[in-house]
Amino acid sequence: MCLGIPGRITEIWDDRGTRMALVDFGGATRTSCLAYLPGAAVGDYTIIHAGFALAVVDEEAAHRTLATFRELGLLDEMRRQLAAPREREARR
Amino acid sequence: MRYLTEFHDPELARRLLDDIAATATRRWTLMEVCGGQTHSIIRHGLDQLLAEQVEFIHGPGCPVCVTPLEMIDRALAIAARPEVILCSFGDMLRVPGSASDLFTVRAHGGDVRVVYSPLDAVGLAEANPDRQVVFFAVGFETTAPAAAMAAVTARRRRLANFSMLVSHVLVPPAMRAVLGAPDNRVAAFLAAGHVCTVMGTAQYEPLVAAHQVPIVVTGFEPLDLLDGVRQAIGQLETGRAELVNAYPRAVRAEGNPAALAMLREVFTVCDRAWRGIGVIPSSGWRLAPDWADLDAQTRFDVAGLTVAESAHCHSGAVLQGRLRPPDCPAFGTRCTPRHPLGATMVSAEGACAAYYQYRRLTPAL
Ligand code: SF4
């Protein structure tokens, strides 16, 4: 019930004053209510709980997070590579 | 799927794990609050990958698990009435009450329906004007906005035959209760990301300040959880206690303003008994006085309930992180998802169900 997963909005319509959307979860589609996301548009990824879209996934934030992960350990690797030739020299 | 596969990338998981291993000088005790996160941790074996750095205490964030027994019994009594259609989320049907569960009530002729959205229950009320439709509204801050909109929609459509049995629960008071327990061992929290999607992050600031405990707002995919752990341990190792948002793609500091406004309109905060835990002050939502006409609790008088918890189930200790599910004598033998003794074995978010699904066949660590 609480497992909100991201899906893509493919269609938006009005049902008696309430904004509704068709959301695609990688093949499976669900009707969801957009009442809490007045700014959401077709193409946005959104997180759905109990049939309600509660947040639009911020693509930039997602890329920033992934970029941070990619950088983890890179500094150590660089240090190791820089240190390696010197160590070889020292052993000589 | 976008935003799923990227956050399952094994190469990046390796980087996060190495970083955590390089930072941690000891084993830290962390609590992931949400049952969805518990499932992800057990399913992906993150607790095993991090065995040397982290002891996970699984939090009470399983909504059907903590719905008070008295409320379940009340729902069962209402569902048994011939004029009623009782609707709830699928997880609720197997949750054991004192003497029965909703499945059994349905087998004996009760009209019990599973809905995906509370709006479906409103639709049922519209389609069945000669019946009373009751929506059993359970869950945390993530499902409450949906229930609030059902109330608003039913009133807008002037449906006199719709009501709600409301038993919503709130996460921060439960975290405060965990921290206030005399035997508390939690050094840092991974806070439930989707609750913050609705509520924002400011509500955790007083907890961080009062208890000097790091709180990292965390998502649900393996990389999200590893990052939550990394940021929590980074703080613990350097003696800091801060509120950090490690799930910025879904959580803004201010939460969802439209949902917050609706929640304030429809619900008021109340004390709530958590199943297996006890009463936690200001930890629930009930219908606000303006919405009392939609309250199923007053519409259907079910006096004379005798509430009795199973003597064999230790789900209270599980929910408070005092017992690991495999250490319960009934786990996997007398208690299985098909024949659950306690709610923690039922729900997709219950800790006992998570261990049963993913760990039954592997020796416990
Ligand atoms: S395994 Fe079953 S009996 Fe034991 S605590 Fe979990 S739900 Fe209760």
Side-chain angles (χ1 to χ4, degrees), chain B residues 31-36 38 57-67 140 169-178 186 189-190 274-277 280 315-321 344 349-351:
Chain B
M31 176 178 275
E32 85 283 2
V33 175
C34 166
T38 303
I57 299 189
H58 311 309
C62 162
V64 315
C65 304
V66 300
T67 300
F140 286 99
V169 274
L170 303 171
V171 164
M175 288 164 69
R176 198 185 310 128
V178 167
V186 175
F189 282 106
L190 307 184
W274 292 50
R275 189 172 191 174
I277 297 177
I280 302 178
S315 61
V318 169
L319 286 163
Q320 292 174 72
T344 43
E349 288 139 309

Side-chain angles (χ1 to χ4, degrees), chain A residues 72-73 76, chain B residues 15-28 50 52-54 226-227 229-240:
Chain A
L72 283 179
D76 286 344
Chain B
R15 280 182 195 279
L16 283 157
L17 284 164
D18 287 348
D19 192 86
I20 294 166
T23 312
T25 60
R26 49 161 284 190
R27 194 169 187 238
W28 293 99
L50 291 166
E52 282 169 29
Q53 295 88 17
V54 182
L226 289 174
D227 193 29
V229 169
R230 178 181 76 95
Q231 300 208 37
I233 288 185
Q235 289 194 46
L236 290 167
E237 288 286 347
T238 51
R240 287 173 296 139

